[in-house]
Amino acid sequence: MNAQTENEARAERAYRTLDKMGDDYSSDREEAVVDLMADLLLWQRKSDEAIASAGRAIALDPSDRWAYSQMSLALALNGRAADAKDYLAAAARVDPQPNPYRHFLAGLIAFCMEQFDDAVASLEKATFDEIGTDNNR
């Protein structure tokens, strides 16, 4: 089995485990599990499923800025940059404090919309070191 196939198998096992965990936890913990599932699905390049999972997370907790950011990323990777921009704006309404990850998403969305000057401006606001340490995505 090659490394990519092994990683895909591990990711699938992790997804199944998270899915089962979501069934076993109370609704306050379920939202965190659904967020993780959306993230994992994005890593598996399953943006349709990630959109559904992020939508479920938003429904469970409409004040979760991370769920809106996840939805934004999933939509951008799904070729729906205009919709992604709307969810990024929703994340900013839920938590008006700017953060590096949101700048990254804004840059990604602008790039997808071929608004390259805006993409550069947004990406310059956040370094990848900041994104990796931003626990408040």
Side-chain angles (χ1 to χ4, degrees), residues 26-104:
S26 62
S27 62
D28 62 326
R29 297 282 311 264
E30 183 181 9
E31 183 269 327
V33 170
V34 172
D35 273 349
L36 287 170
M37 287 174 63
D39 199 35
L40 181 59
L41 288 163
L42 287 173
W43 278 99
Q44 291 178 302
R45 296 184 180 102
K46 295 179 179 180
S47 60
D48 288 329
E49 293 93 336
I51 290 167
S53 187
R56 186 173 166 204
I58 291 167
L60 287 168
D61 183 2
S63 67
D64 179 13
R65 65 185 176 267
W66 171 238
Y68 289 100
S69 295
Q70 281 293 85
M71 177 67 86
S72 182
L73 178 59
L75 288 165
L77 295 176
N78 193 262
R80 298 170 52 191
D83 293 332
K85 190 173 183 177
D86 292 340
Y87 277 91
L88 188 60
R93 284 191 300 275
V94 169
D95 178 17
Q97 182 67 34
N99 64 58
Y101 187 66
R102 199 174 304 144
H103 291 305
F104 165 75

Side-chain angles (χ1 to χ4, degrees), residues 74-131:
L75 288 165
L77 295 176
N78 193 262
R80 298 170 52 191
D83 293 332
K85 190 173 183 177
D86 292 340
Y87 277 91
L88 188 60
R93 284 191 300 275
V94 169
D95 178 17
Q97 182 67 34
N99 64 58
Y101 187 66
R102 199 174 304 144
H103 291 305
F104 165 75
L105 287 176
L108 174 66
I109 293 165
F111 184 85
C112 291
M113 298 176 82
E114 298 183 4
Q115 298 169 349
F116 301 118
D117 290 339
D118 291 342
V120 169
S122 291
L123 292 170
E124 285 179 339
K125 291 179 184 177
T127 67
F128 287 101
D129 289 341
E130 290 173 318
I131 292 168

